[in-house]
Amino acid sequence: MTQPSGHGPVTVIISWEVAAGREPDFESVIEQIRADASRQEGFEGVALVRPDQPHQAYHALLRFADATSLHNWLNSRARAELVYRLDGIAREADRRVTTTGLETWFSLPHRAVYPPPRWKMAVVTAGAVYFLVPIVQYAAGSHIADWPAPLEAAVPAVILTVLLTYIVLPALSRLLRSWLYGGSAQQAVSSEGPR
């Protein structure tokens, strides 16, 4: 996979299955990984989400200023050496990359990939908005016509946002997967760097 492009913050979420009784060892190595990441250019923060029940995965959320900074850290020698130390302690179960903005609407289930090109996301989003706006206006228009202008504008905006976020764009993302992602739909970010 080529080096990711794009601007804006990127978060990688790495899930780890930890061997029973090795949780303290795992957390110690993760702290060292955090310290290493904090020295990388573009690093913005990290959080470790501990499982609330036994035998569930840990989740490490690392935020970087952009996809290039993330790519550089994922492929760094220092990170590879620290991850090697987790052998026998934990196994990386999943890695997902998310971004801020519209990219979060476009994702592949159980795969970590970089978002599709922005122009493709813009085409899909504009098409969805183009068809939804008249429907929402027609459905809500007569019911809110006498409301104060700020509320009259807010109701369709909220309905449109909910429809796009939870129904329309995830469905279009699945339907148009091969066009949106091209060959990258078959490649996971996990193939980029050592585990």
Side-chain angles (χ1 to χ4, degrees):
M1 181 186 265
T2 59
Q3 182 170 324
S5 60
H7 305 287
V10 180
T11 302
V12 62
I13 304 167
I14 306 174
S15 299
W16 296 92
E17 294 174 356
V18 180
R22 302 297 304 269
E23 293 84 1
D25 299 327
F26 171 76
E27 291 195 25
S28 174
V29 175
I30 288 296
E31 176 56 29
Q32 293 171 15
I33 292 174
R34 183 209 60 75
D36 173 64
S38 69
R39 291 188 292 273
Q40 293 287 322
E41 182 177 342
F43 177 79
E44 293 186 348
V46 64
L48 182 64
V49 180
R50 293 172 177 85
D52 56 0
Q53 296 180 14
H55 311 297
Q56 289 184 337
Y58 278 76
H59 304 286
L61 292 79
L62 295 103
R63 184 174 170 90
F64 290 83
D66 53 49
T68 300
S69 299
L70 168 62
H71 175 81
N72 292 340
W73 177 74
L74 286 174
N75 294 288
S76 70
R77 182 181 188 93
R79 179 186 173 273
E81 291 170 359
L82 288 168
V83 170
Y84 179 77
R85 292 184 54 199
L86 287 172
D87 189 38
I89 297 172
R91 182 180 73 81
E92 186 174 320
D94 190 25
R95 187 184 307 168
R96 293 178 182 266
V97 173
T98 65
T99 56
T100 59
L102 294 178
E103 294 92 337
T104 58
W105 283 339
F106 298 89
S107 63
L108 294 175
H110 310 299
R111 290 206 176 112
V113 296
Y114 290 97
R118 288 179 186 255
W119 72 267
K120 289 185 178 184
M121 293 186 293
V123 167
V124 172
T125 304
V129 169
Y130 177 79
F131 286 104
L132 279 178
V133 165
I135 295 168
V136 170
Q137 286 177 332
Y138 176 78
S142 62
H143 302 291
I144 61 173
D146 297 330
W147 292 14
L151 286 177
E152 190 177 349
V155 169
V158 169
I159 293 171
L160 190 61
T161 301
V162 170
L163 287 173
L164 286 170
T165 301
Y166 292 102
I167 299 170
V168 177
L169 287 177
L172 287 175
S173 178
R174 287 189 300 275
L175 182 67
L176 301 173
R177 179 176 298 162
S178 61
W179 177 73
L180 283 166
Y181 295 93
S184 69
Q186 303 302 318
Q187 297 176 334
V189 169
S190 57
S191 67
E192 292 232 348
R195 290 186 174 208

